[in-house]
PDB file of all heavy atoms in Angstrom:
ATOM      1  N   PHE A 378     -47.610  53.135 -26.289  1.00 97.00           N
ATOM      2  CA  PHE A 378     -48.982  53.430 -26.711  1.00 97.00           C
ATOM      3  C   PHE A 378     -49.763  52.140 -26.891  1.00 97.00           C
ATOM      4  O   PHE A 378     -50.894  52.002 -26.406  1.00 97.00           O
ATOM      5  CB  PHE A 378     -48.968  54.250 -28.005  1.00 97.00           C
ATOM      6  CG  PHE A 378     -49.087  55.731 -27.783  1.00 97.00           C
ATOM      7  CD1 PHE A 378     -47.987  56.477 -27.406  1.00 97.00           C
ATOM      8  CD2 PHE A 378     -50.312  56.379 -27.920  1.00 97.00           C
ATOM      9  CE1 PHE A 378     -48.083  57.843 -27.183  1.00 97.00           C
ATOM     10  CE2 PHE A 378     -50.432  57.739 -27.696  1.00 97.00           C
ATOM     11  CZ  PHE A 378     -49.318  58.486 -27.331  1.00 97.00           C
ATOM     12  N   LEU A 379     -49.190  51.174 -27.586  1.00 96.00           N
ATOM     13  CA  LEU A 379     -49.876  49.896 -27.790  1.00 96.00           C
ATOM     14  C   LEU A 379     -50.066  49.171 -26.464  1.00 96.00           C
ATOM     15  O   LEU A 379     -51.108  48.530 -26.241  1.00 96.00           O
ATOM     16  CB  LEU A 379     -49.074  49.033 -28.762  1.00 96.00           C
ATOM     17  CG  LEU A 379     -49.019  49.537 -30.209  1.00 96.00           C
ATOM     18  CD1 LEU A 379     -48.013  48.722 -31.024  1.00 96.00           C
ATOM     19  CD2 LEU A 379     -50.403  49.488 -30.861  1.00 96.00           C
ATOM     20  N   ARG A 380     -49.079  49.259 -25.599  1.00 95.00           N
ATOM     21  CA  ARG A 380     -49.167  48.606 -24.285  1.00 95.00           C
ATOM     22  C   ARG A 380     -50.322  49.169 -23.471  1.00 95.00           C
ATOM     23  O   ARG A 380     -50.946  48.448 -22.677  1.00 95.00           O
ATOM     24  CB  ARG A 380     -47.841  48.821 -23.529  1.00 95.00           C
ATOM     25  CG  ARG A 380     -47.746  48.113 -22.173  1.00 95.00           C
ATOM     26  CD  ARG A 380     -47.590  46.629 -22.379  1.00 95.00           C
ATOM     27  NE  ARG A 380     -47.171  45.946 -21.184  1.00 95.00           N
ATOM     28  CZ  ARG A 380     -47.990  45.542 -20.215  1.00 95.00           C
ATOM     29  NH1 ARG A 380     -49.297  45.786 -20.301  1.00 95.00           N
ATOM     30  NH2 ARG A 380     -47.526  44.874 -19.166  1.00 95.00           N
ATOM     31  N   CYS A 381     -50.601  50.448 -23.680  1.00 95.00           N
ATOM     32  CA  CYS A 381     -51.682  51.102 -22.938  1.00 95.00           C
ATOM     33  C   CYS A 381     -52.995  51.131 -23.713  1.00 95.00           C
ATOM     34  O   CYS A 381     -53.948  51.830 -23.329  1.00 95.00           O
ATOM     35  CB  CYS A 381     -51.264  52.520 -22.564  1.00 95.00           C
ATOM     36  SG  CYS A 381     -49.865  52.614 -21.416  1.00 95.00           S
ATOM     37  N   GLY A 382     -53.059  50.411 -24.845  1.00 94.00           N
ATOM     38  CA  GLY A 382     -54.321  50.209 -25.528  1.00 94.00           C
ATOM     39  C   GLY A 382     -54.684  51.197 -26.608  1.00 94.00           C
ATOM     40  O   GLY A 382     -55.852  51.259 -27.024  1.00 94.00           O
ATOM     41  N   ARG A 383     -53.692  51.971 -27.105  1.00 95.00           N
ATOM     42  CA  ARG A 383     -53.992  52.922 -28.171  1.00 95.00           C
ATOM     43  C   ARG A 383     -52.970  52.819 -29.288  1.00 95.00           C
ATOM     44  O   ARG A 383     -51.820  52.434 -29.069  1.00 95.00           O
ATOM     45  CB  ARG A 383     -53.990  54.366 -27.631  1.00 95.00           C
ATOM     46  CG  ARG A 383     -55.144  54.690 -26.714  1.00 95.00           C
ATOM     47  CD  ARG A 383     -55.233  56.184 -26.449  1.00 95.00           C
ATOM     48  NE  ARG A 383     -55.421  56.967 -27.676  1.00 95.00           N
ATOM     49  CZ  ARG A 383     -55.669  58.279 -27.677  1.00 95.00           C
ATOM     50  NH1 ARG A 383     -55.740  58.942 -26.517  1.00 95.00           N
ATOM     51  NH2 ARG A 383     -55.824  58.924 -28.812  1.00 95.00           N
ATOM     52  N   GLU A 384     -53.413  53.169 -30.492  1.00 95.00           N
ATOM     53  CA  GLU A 384     -52.488  53.219 -31.615  1.00 95.00           C
ATOM     54  C   GLU A 384     -51.544  54.392 -31.439  1.00 95.00           C
ATOM     55  O   GLU A 384     -51.962  55.479 -31.018  1.00 95.00           O
ATOM     56  CB  GLU A 384     -53.251  53.365 -32.931  1.00 95.00           C
ATOM     57  CG  GLU A 384     -53.965  52.114 -33.386  1.00 95.00           C
ATOM     58  CD  GLU A 384     -52.976  51.016 -33.773  1.00 95.00           C
ATOM     59  OE1 GLU A 384     -51.972  51.332 -34.428  1.00 95.00           O
ATOM     60  OE2 GLU A 384     -53.226  49.851 -33.419  1.00 95.00           O
ATOM     61  N   PRO A 385     -50.254  54.215 -31.755  1.00 96.00           N
ATOM     62  CA  PRO A 385     -49.323  55.333 -31.641  1.00 96.00           C
ATOM     63  C   PRO A 385     -49.615  56.392 -32.690  1.00 96.00           C
ATOM     64  O   PRO A 385     -50.183  56.090 -33.749  1.00 96.00           O
ATOM     65  CB  PRO A 385     -47.956  54.682 -31.868  1.00 96.00           C
ATOM     66  CG  PRO A 385     -48.244  53.434 -32.632  1.00 96.00           C
ATOM     67  CD  PRO A 385     -49.592  52.979 -32.191  1.00 96.00           C
ATOM     68  N   PRO A 386     -49.238  57.649 -32.429  1.00 96.00           N
ATOM     69  CA  PRO A 386     -49.428  58.711 -33.426  1.00 96.00           C
ATOM     70  C   PRO A 386     -48.683  58.391 -34.716  1.00 96.00           C
ATOM     71  O   PRO A 386     -47.738  57.605 -34.733  1.00 96.00           O
ATOM     72  CB  PRO A 386     -48.843  59.950 -32.728  1.00 96.00           C
ATOM     73  CG  PRO A 386     -48.875  59.630 -31.273  1.00 96.00           C
ATOM     74  CD  PRO A 386     -48.672  58.155 -31.174  1.00 96.00           C
ATOM     75  N   ALA A 387     -49.097  59.046 -35.794  1.00 95.00           N
ATOM     76  CA  ALA A 387     -48.546  58.748 -37.119  1.00 95.00           C
ATOM     77  C   ALA A 387     -47.052  58.975 -37.188  1.00 95.00           C
ATOM     78  O   ALA A 387     -46.341  58.260 -37.907  1.00 95.00           O
ATOM     79  CB  ALA A 387     -49.262  59.603 -38.172  1.00 95.00           C
ATOM     80  N   GLU A 388     -46.544  59.974 -36.442  1.00 95.00           N
ATOM     81  CA  GLU A 388     -45.102  60.254 -36.508  1.00 95.00           C
ATOM     82  C   GLU A 388     -44.264  59.150 -35.877  1.00 95.00           C
ATOM     83  O   GLU A 388     -43.034  59.133 -36.017  1.00 95.00           O
ATOM     84  CB  GLU A 388     -44.773  61.597 -35.846  1.00 95.00           C
ATOM     85  CG  GLU A 388     -45.107  61.702 -34.376  1.00 95.00           C
ATOM     86  CD  GLU A 388     -46.479  62.294 -34.128  1.00 95.00           C
ATOM     87  OE1 GLU A 388     -47.385  62.100 -34.983  1.00 95.00           O
ATOM     88  OE2 GLU A 388     -46.655  62.939 -33.076  1.00 95.00           O
ATOM     89  N   TYR A 389     -44.906  58.229 -35.181  1.00 96.00           N
ATOM     90  CA  TYR A 389     -44.186  57.096 -34.588  1.00 96.00           C
ATOM     91  C   TYR A 389     -44.482  55.798 -35.330  1.00 96.00           C
ATOM     92  O   TYR A 389     -44.357  54.705 -34.774  1.00 96.00           O
ATOM     93  CB  TYR A 389     -44.541  56.975 -33.105  1.00 96.00           C
ATOM     94  CG  TYR A 389     -43.988  58.123 -32.300  1.00 96.00           C
ATOM     95  CD1 TYR A 389     -44.804  59.206 -31.963  1.00 96.00           C
ATOM     96  CD2 TYR A 389     -42.658  58.148 -31.913  1.00 96.00           C
ATOM     97  CE1 TYR A 389     -44.297  60.287 -31.248  1.00 96.00           C
ATOM     98  CE2 TYR A 389     -42.139  59.223 -31.202  1.00 96.00           C
ATOM     99  CZ  TYR A 389     -42.965  60.280 -30.880  1.00 96.00           C
ATOM    100  OH  TYR A 389     -42.447  61.352 -30.181  1.00 96.00           O
ATOM    101  N   ALA A 390     -44.862  55.918 -36.600  1.00 94.00           N
ATOM    102  CA  ALA A 390     -45.026  54.738 -37.447  1.00 94.00           C
ATOM    103  C   ALA A 390     -43.663  54.145 -37.756  1.00 94.00           C
ATOM    104  O   ALA A 390     -42.634  54.829 -37.687  1.00 94.00           O
ATOM    105  CB  ALA A 390     -45.762  55.103 -38.733  1.00 94.00           C
ATOM    106  N   SER A 391     -43.643  52.869 -38.120  1.00 93.00           N
ATOM    107  CA  SER A 391     -42.372  52.153 -38.268  1.00 93.00           C
ATOM    108  C   SER A 391     -41.635  52.462 -39.561  1.00 93.00           C
ATOM    109  O   SER A 391     -40.525  51.969 -39.761  1.00 93.00           O
ATOM    110  CB  SER A 391     -42.620  50.639 -38.189  1.00 93.00           C
ATOM    111  OG  SER A 391     -43.504  50.225 -39.221  1.00 93.00           O
ATOM    112  N   ASP A 392     -42.231  53.283 -40.440  1.00 93.00           N
ATOM    113  CA  ASP A 392     -41.577  53.600 -41.697  1.00 93.00           C
ATOM    114  C   ASP A 392     -40.956  54.990 -41.709  1.00 93.00           C
ATOM    115  O   ASP A 392     -40.627  55.528 -42.760  1.00 93.00           O
ATOM    116  CB  ASP A 392     -42.569  53.479 -42.860  1.00 93.00           C
ATOM    117  CG  ASP A 392     -43.735  54.460 -42.726  1.00 93.00           C
ATOM    118  OD1 ASP A 392     -43.901  55.047 -41.630  1.00 93.00           O
ATOM    119  OD2 ASP A 392     -44.481  54.620 -43.708  1.00 93.00           O
ATOM    120  N   ARG A 393     -40.771  55.581 -40.518  1.00 94.00           N
ATOM    121  CA  ARG A 393     -40.211  56.927 -40.448  1.00 94.00           C
ATOM    122  C   ARG A 393     -39.581  57.157 -39.077  1.00 94.00           C
ATOM    123  O   ARG A 393     -39.763  56.372 -38.162  1.00 94.00           O
ATOM    124  CB  ARG A 393     -41.311  57.966 -40.681  1.00 94.00           C
ATOM    125  CG  ARG A 393     -42.344  58.038 -39.548  1.00 94.00           C
ATOM    126  CD  ARG A 393     -43.622  58.702 -39.984  1.00 94.00           C
ATOM    127  NE  ARG A 393     -44.323  57.868 -40.954  1.00 94.00           N
ATOM    128  CZ  ARG A 393     -45.490  58.214 -41.492  1.00 94.00           C
ATOM    129  NH1 ARG A 393     -46.050  59.355 -41.185  1.00 94.00           N
ATOM    130  NH2 ARG A 393     -46.077  57.403 -42.348  1.00 94.00           N
ATOM    131  N   MET A 394     -38.817  58.247 -38.986  1.00 96.00           N
ATOM    132  CA  MET A 394     -38.324  58.713 -37.697  1.00 96.00           C
ATOM    133  C   MET A 394     -39.179  59.899 -37.260  1.00 96.00           C
ATOM    134  O   MET A 394     -39.579  60.721 -38.090  1.00 96.00           O
ATOM    135  CB  MET A 394     -36.853  59.133 -37.796  1.00 96.00           C
ATOM    136  CG  MET A 394     -35.893  58.000 -38.061  1.00 96.00           C
ATOM    137  SD  MET A 394     -34.167  58.570 -38.110  1.00 96.00           S
ATOM    138  CE  MET A 394     -33.922  59.085 -36.382  1.00 96.00           C
ATOM    139  N   SER A 395     -39.448  60.005 -35.966  1.00 95.00           N
ATOM    140  CA  SER A 395     -40.268  61.119 -35.492  1.00 95.00           C
ATOM    141  C   SER A 395     -39.572  62.453 -35.752  1.00 95.00           C
ATOM    142  O   SER A 395     -40.224  63.471 -35.990  1.00 95.00           O
ATOM    143  CB  SER A 395     -40.574  60.961 -34.001  1.00 95.00           C
ATOM    144  OG  SER A 395     -39.379  60.928 -33.232  1.00 95.00           O
ATOM    145  N   VAL A 396     -38.240  62.464 -35.693  1.00 93.00           N
ATOM    146  CA  VAL A 396     -37.442  63.624 -36.078  1.00 93.00           C
ATOM    147  C   VAL A 396     -36.471  63.141 -37.147  1.00 93.00           C
ATOM    148  O   VAL A 396     -35.524  62.412 -36.842  1.00 93.00           O
ATOM    149  CB  VAL A 396     -36.680  64.224 -34.879  1.00 93.00           C
ATOM    150  CG1 VAL A 396     -35.826  65.391 -35.333  1.00 93.00           C
ATOM    151  CG2 VAL A 396     -37.657  64.659 -33.785  1.00 93.00           C
ATOM    152  N   ASP A 397     -36.708  63.541 -38.374  1.00 94.00           N
ATOM    153  CA  ASP A 397     -35.949  62.979 -39.483  1.00 94.00           C
ATOM    154  C   ASP A 397     -34.495  63.454 -39.473  1.00 94.00           C
ATOM    155  O   ASP A 397     -34.191  64.562 -39.058  1.00 94.00           O
ATOM    156  CB  ASP A 397     -36.605  63.355 -40.812  1.00 94.00           C
ATOM    157  CG  ASP A 397     -36.095  62.501 -41.967  1.00 94.00           C
ATOM    158  OD1 ASP A 397     -35.674  61.355 -41.703  1.00 94.00           O
ATOM    159  OD2 ASP A 397     -36.104  62.981 -43.108  1.00 94.00           O
ATOM    160  N   VAL A 398     -33.610  62.568 -39.915  1.00 92.00           N
ATOM    161  CA  VAL A 398     -32.184  62.864 -40.029  1.00 92.00           C
ATOM    162  C   VAL A 398     -31.763  62.544 -41.453  1.00 92.00           C
ATOM    163  O   VAL A 398     -32.018  61.440 -41.948  1.00 92.00           O
ATOM    164  CB  VAL A 398     -31.350  62.027 -39.033  1.00 92.00           C
ATOM    165  CG1 VAL A 398     -29.864  62.264 -39.231  1.00 92.00           C
ATOM    166  CG2 VAL A 398     -31.757  62.357 -37.605  1.00 92.00           C
TER     167      VAL A 398
END
Side-chain angles (χ1 to χ4, degrees):
F378 264 80
L379 292 171
R380 184 72 166 84
C381 295
R383 290 191 60 173
E384 287 293 318
E388 61 266 31
Y389 291 99
S391 60
D392 62 347
R393 68 199 68 179
M394 293 182 66
S395 60
V396 178
D397 196 27
V398 176

